[in-house]
Amino acid sequence: MNSTLDPLAVHLSSQTAVSFPKDSFINALTKNIVAMLVWLALSMLNGSMVRTFTRHSFFYDDPRYIMFIFMVVNDAVQLTLVTALYVVSYIFFKIPASLCCPLVMTAVLTTRATPLILAGMAVERYLAICFPLHYQQLCTIPRTLLLVAVVLFLSAAAPLTDLFITLAKEPVAIFRGVIFCDQYQLFRDRAIYYKNCGFDAVYFSFVFLTLLFTYCKIMLAARAASTDLASVRKARNTILLHGIQLLLCLLAFVVPSMQAPLIALFPQFGVEIRYVNFLLVYIIPRFLSPMIYGFRDEKFRKHWARQIACRTNVVRPAVKFTQR
C-alpha cells in the first residue's frame, strides 16, 4: 500500500516529527507557564466545587449533582494528566514506556468518559421534565452509581483493548524502553488505529442521538407545558450546552487526524500547531462544566458562593493579625 495514502502512516510520521519539540527557551517557557496557570486556575475552581458538594449532604441524594461532581472530578483528572504530559514532553522529551502507559491509558479513559457523562446527564434532565411524577422511582441513587460504573467500564474498554493488542503483537521489551509519551507512539499497531476509528464512530453517534432525542422530547414538553416553563427552558438550554460540549469533546478524536496532515504540510510550524490543538482540545472545553452547573444552577451556585465568601472572611483576619 502506498504510505502517502495511508492515514495511519501519515499520522505516525507526523507524530514522530513532533516527538522532539524544537522551540526557543522563551517560547517554551511561556507556553508551559500558561499551561500551568490555566491548570492551576481550573484545579482551584474544580476543587472548590468538590468541596461544596462534600460539605452539603443533601447533594448526595440528587442524581443530577452526583453526575455533575463525577464530571468535575473526571475533567480535573484529565486536565492534570494532559497538562503533565505536555510539560513533560518539553522537559524530558522521552520517559520510560512503563510509566507512560498508565498515564496515557488514564488520560484516554477520562477523555472518553466525558461524552458518556453528557449523555447520562441529558437523560436525567429528560426524565425530570417529561416524567416528573415517576422521576424519583426512575432516577435513584443506586441506579446513578451503576450508571457511573458503566461509564467507567465503557471508557476503559478502548485503552484496555489497545494494551491487549499491543501485548499480543509487540514484544514486551518495548515497555522497558523510553519513548515520547504519546498515545500513538505507545500503541502503534495498525489494527489499533482502525479499531479506534470504528469505535469512535459508534460511540459519538450514540451520544449525539441521545442528546438529539432528549432535546426534541424536552422541546415537545415545553410546547405542551402550561406551568413551570422556566425549568423546561433551563433544561432545554442545558441540553444545548451539552451539545456544544460534545462538539468540543469530538475535537479530541478528530484533531489528531487533522493535526497529522497539517504538520506534514507545515513542518516548520509543528510545535505551534501542537500547542494550539492542546489549548483547543483539552483546555477550552474544561471551562464549560463550571459554567453549566457551577454558575447556572441556582441551588449549587448559592452554596458555592457562600463557601467562597466564608473562606475569604477566614483568610482576612489572619492577614491582619500577621500585619500587627
Side-chain angles (χ1 to χ4, degrees):
M1 180 181 292
N2 188 349
S3 62
T4 59
L5 300 179
D6 188 346
L8 178 60
V10 173
H11 181 84
L12 291 178
S13 63
S14 66
Q15 291 293 332
T16 304
V18 298
S19 293
F20 301 94
K22 297 179 181 179
D23 209 350
S24 68
F25 175 77
I26 297 299
N27 288 340
L29 183 63
T30 301
K31 291 174 182 177
N32 282 278
I33 288 177
V34 170
M36 292 299 295
L37 288 176
V38 172
W39 168 80
L40 181 62
L42 283 174
S43 296
M44 293 176 63
L45 190 65
N46 291 332
S48 66
M49 289 185 173
V50 173
R51 184 176 176 83
T52 300
F53 177 85
T54 56
R55 288 177 64 90
H56 300 89
S57 58
F58 51 81
F59 286 133
Y60 301 167
D61 299 326
D62 194 326
R64 182 183 185 186
Y65 295 106
I66 292 176
M67 286 190 286
F68 163 62
I69 212 65
F70 175 42
M71 171 172 282
V72 169
V73 173
N74 181 81
D75 285 355
V77 172
Q78 182 199 33
L79 182 66
T80 299
L81 288 173
V82 171
T83 304
L85 290 174
Y86 183 83
V87 174
V88 163
S89 70
Y90 274 91
I91 299 175
F92 300 107
F93 297 154
K94 291 186 175 184
I95 64 174
S98 58
L99 174 61
C100 175
C101 184
L103 295 177
V104 166
M105 290 182 65
T106 307
V108 171
L109 184 154
T110 52
T111 301
R112 292 184 178 277
T114 301
L116 293 178
I117 302 171
L118 294 176
M121 297 174 81
V123 171
E124 185 274 334
R125 286 294 84 199
Y126 158 70
L127 294 175
I129 298 300
C130 298
F131 300 96
L133 299 180
H134 303 284
Y135 177 79
Q136 297 295 333
Q137 290 76 29
L138 294 173
C139 291
T140 61
I141 301 304
R143 288 181 178 179
T144 304
L145 297 178
L146 177 62
L147 176 62
V148 170
V150 170
V151 167
L152 290 174
F153 174 79
L154 293 177
S155 303
L160 284 176
T161 53
D162 291 349
L163 177 62
F164 293 151
I165 292 173
T166 300
L167 291 174
K169 295 192 174 184
E170 299 283 349
V172 181
I174 65 171
F175 292 101
R176 302 193 189 103
V178 293
I179 63 169
F180 179 80
C181 195
D182 177 85
Q183 180 185 0
Y184 295 97
Q185 293 291 318
L186 183 65
F187 303 125
R188 296 178 291 182
D189 191 89
R190 186 182 303 270
I192 293 175
Y193 176 81
Y194 292 111
K195 183 267 297 180
N196 285 337
C197 287
F199 182 89
D200 293 342
V202 175
Y203 178 77
F204 276 95
S205 296
F206 167 76
V207 177
F208 171 76
L209 291 175
T210 300
L211 292 180
L212 181 63
F213 172 80
T214 53
Y215 179 78
C216 292
K217 286 293 187 178
I218 290 175
M219 285 293 292
L220 292 175
R223 291 184 178 181
S226 57
T227 59
D228 204 14
L229 290 176
S231 63
V232 174
R233 192 181 305 111
K234 183 176 290 187
R236 181 198 62 193
N237 293 337
T238 299
I239 301 296
L240 282 176
L241 287 172
H242 286 338
I244 296 174
Q245 279 184 289
L246 178 64
L247 292 177
L248 291 173
C249 292
L250 183 60
L251 292 176
F253 301 89
V254 175
V255 162
S257 299
M258 296 172 58
Q259 180 174 285
L262 282 175
I263 294 178
L265 288 173
F266 307 102
Q268 68 275 24
F269 299 112
V271 176
E272 285 72 20
I273 292 173
R274 180 169 171 258
Y275 184 69
V276 170
N277 289 339
F278 167 73
L279 294 177
L280 183 66
V281 173
Y282 298 108
I283 299 299
I284 295 177
R286 304 284 81 77
F287 284 98
L288 275 182
S289 295
M291 182 184 72
I292 290 178
Y293 281 100
F295 299 123
R296 291 183 68 249
D297 188 274
E298 183 178 352
K299 181 179 178 181
F300 191 87
R301 184 178 66 242
K302 179 179 68 175
H303 294 283
W304 187 29
R306 185 180 300 169
Q307 179 197 317
I308 294 175
C310 289
R311 295 195 66 179
T312 303
N313 292 333
V314 168
V315 171
R316 283 177 180 173
V319 174
K320 293 181 180 179
F321 179 79
T322 55
Q323 289 176 346
R324 291 180 183 178

